[in-house]
Amino acid sequence: MIKAFHSNWTTPFFKMNPNKEYYIEDFEILTTIISALKWREKNGSIKMVTDEIGANYYRRLGIDSIWDLGIDISLEGINNNIDSNLFWAAGKIYALKNQEAPCVMIDTDFIVWNKVEDLLLKSEISVIHKEEINSCVYPSKEHFIMKKGYLFDKKWSWTVLPSNTAFVYIGDNKFKEYYTTESIKFMENLLDSDDRIVNMVFAEQRLISMCAERKNIKINEIMALENLFSENQKLFTHTWGYKKEMKSDFNKRRDFCIRCINRILSDYPQYKDMLMNIKSLEIYFNEINK
């Protein structure tokens, strides 16, 4: 059995929404619940790594029990040198840095439906899929303007394919430390940029592949991207691309949330009261109970 963790750094939310009270979309609450419970059922234990605002939010929702390893608030101490608007997913890197390998880093919108241990142990590092080098998303080294004194490792390969980090297994503490240190160093030393995609995916997804290649570690790609979203694929669900549609189309949001609620009630009926006490889900229970 392999330990896993979710992460949620709330600071970027307030950068984008300075006058709002913290919240998580209803569909993301539901995928978080399924992701945690299904991991526990099929693969091992799991924790949430967040900050005080995140921890208090989950406790108010009443869902803190879904993580059998509890809620860790170590993201409260993230370095202020990191631009939380630019590096909105930096919390994942800091959370990973504090874990003991072997471990799995899993996004709250990513669900593993069955046992995957055999798939993960094929390599020191496993990722859900590799990504093509599109110059608009993964530009050349010259694109990045860095602080004086920062140098990219001359032995890093800029041709190695980036790795999607929605789901990552790392089996070696030395590599984990190397990758997270280099990622944080990059985020601390970037200058003159406002691109929230290019810079974050370099720190998170391109660097893990560059660091692995530098250490002569072969990354195991669990499946190709086109296979992940194939109807014939039943092992994983990643809702990343669908979230924008659900935000703009209530019918899609409603249908998705009702499917999630019904799946939780079917697989984990002991959590029915927990779901029914989440105010934002009340509208869907009214539909279900018609």
Side-chain angles (χ1 to χ4, degrees), residues 254 257-259 261-262 265 272-273 275-278 281-290:
R254 179 195 60 212
C257 288
I258 288 174
R259 289 201 308 273
I261 289 170
N262 284 332
L265 294 178
K272 180 178 180 179
D273 288 345
L275 287 182
M276 293 186 70
N277 286 328
I278 299 173
L281 302 184
E282 185 177 307
I283 185 173
Y284 308 121
F285 273 102
N286 290 338
E287 289 264 345
I288 291 169
N289 292 327
K290 278 183 180 179

Side-chain angles (χ1 to χ4, degrees), residues 91-107:
K92 290 175 63 173
I93 305 299
Y94 280 90
L96 176 60
K97 190 175 183 65
N98 291 329
Q99 306 310 306
E100 282 294 315
C103 65
V104 163
M105 178 169 70
I106 181 169
D107 285 358

Side-chain angles (χ1 to χ4, degrees), residues 72-87:
D72 173 341
I73 61 167
S74 58
L75 295 189
E76 191 67 26
I78 285 187
N79 192 329
N80 289 329
N81 292 332
I82 299 295
D83 183 337
S84 61
N85 183 51
L86 193 61
F87 294 111

Side-chain angles (χ1 to χ4, degrees), residues 5-37:
F5 69 93
H6 285 147
S7 64
N8 177 15
W9 184 34
T10 65
T11 299
F13 173 91
F14 295 104
K15 285 284 187 177
M16 297 291 289
N17 306 280
N19 299 312
K20 287 188 176 181
E21 184 177 352
Y22 184 73
Y23 73 93
I24 298 173
E25 298 281 2
D26 46 17
F27 52 79
E28 186 113 31
I29 292 170
L30 288 165
T31 58
T32 299
I33 293 169
I34 298 174
S35 179
L37 295 181

Side-chain angles (χ1 to χ4, degrees), residues 28-238:
E28 186 113 31
I29 292 170
L30 288 165
T31 58
T32 299
I33 293 169
I34 298 174
S35 179
L37 295 181
K38 195 57 69 172
W39 185 264
R40 288 172 57 183
E41 177 190 351
K42 300 292 185 178
N43 288 290
S45 292
I46 187 167
K47 70 169 72 171
M48 165 56 75
V49 184
T50 185
D51 46 38
E52 288 187 3
I53 290 174
N56 289 334
Y57 182 79
Y58 291 125
R59 292 182 183 118
R60 286 198 304 274
L61 284 179
I63 70 170
D64 46 303
S65 64
I66 67 172
W67 298 286
D68 61 319
L69 295 179
I71 297 178
D72 173 341
I73 61 167
S74 58
L75 295 189
E76 191 67 26
I78 285 187
N79 192 329
N80 289 329
N81 292 332
I82 299 295
D83 183 337
S84 61
N85 183 51
L86 193 61
F87 294 111
W88 41 274
K92 290 175 63 173
I93 305 299
Y94 280 90
L96 176 60
K97 190 175 183 65
N98 291 329
Q99 306 310 306
E100 282 294 315
C103 65
V104 163
M105 178 169 70
I106 181 169
D107 285 358
T108 56
D109 62 0
F110 195 98
I111 301 165
V112 183
W113 296 103
N114 280 299
K115 186 176 179 181
V116 292
E117 184 175 7
D118 291 344
L119 293 174
L120 303 184
L121 298 181
K122 290 180 177 180
S123 174
E124 291 181 40
I125 308 165
S126 288
V127 300
I128 185 58
H129 65 80
K130 298 290 185 68
E131 301 202 341
E132 295 299 322
I133 299 178
N134 179 329
S135 61
C136 294
V137 179
Y138 295 106
S140 66
K141 178 171 60 176
E142 289 70 30
H143 172 87
F144 301 102
I145 301 173
M146 309 302 294
K147 292 179 183 177
K148 185 177 181 180
Y150 178 89
L151 296 173
F152 290 105
D153 190 327
K154 292 181 179 180
K155 294 186 178 181
W156 282 347
S157 169
W158 291 77
T159 62
V160 65
L161 295 181
S163 298
N164 187 280
T165 54
F167 180 84
V168 180
Y169 165 79
I170 294 181
D172 178 68
N173 273 315
K174 288 183 179 179
F175 176 79
K176 174 188 66 73
E177 184 62 27
Y178 171 53
Y179 160 55
T180 55
T181 296
E182 291 298 335
S183 178
I184 292 168
K185 189 187 302 183
F186 169 80
M187 292 188 285
E188 289 178 337
N189 282 278
L190 183 72
L191 284 176
D192 301 327
S193 182
D194 59 1
D195 193 314
R196 300 177 77 247
I197 300 298
V198 165
N199 297 301
M200 190 67 251
V201 297
F202 178 83
E204 182 185 354
Q205 300 193 151
R206 198 170 194 179
L207 259 180
I208 191 171
S209 292
M210 294 169 112
C211 288
E213 196 270 347
R214 175 74 173 82
K215 295 297 184 182
N216 297 312
I217 300 172
K218 180 177 174 57
I219 293 180
N220 171 41
E221 180 185 35
I222 297 172
M223 64 176 56
L225 177 58
E226 58 268 23
N227 293 333
L228 178 62
F229 293 102
S230 166
E231 292 182 0
N232 297 322
Q233 186 278 120
K234 306 297 183 184
L235 186 54
F236 304 105
T237 295
H238 190 202

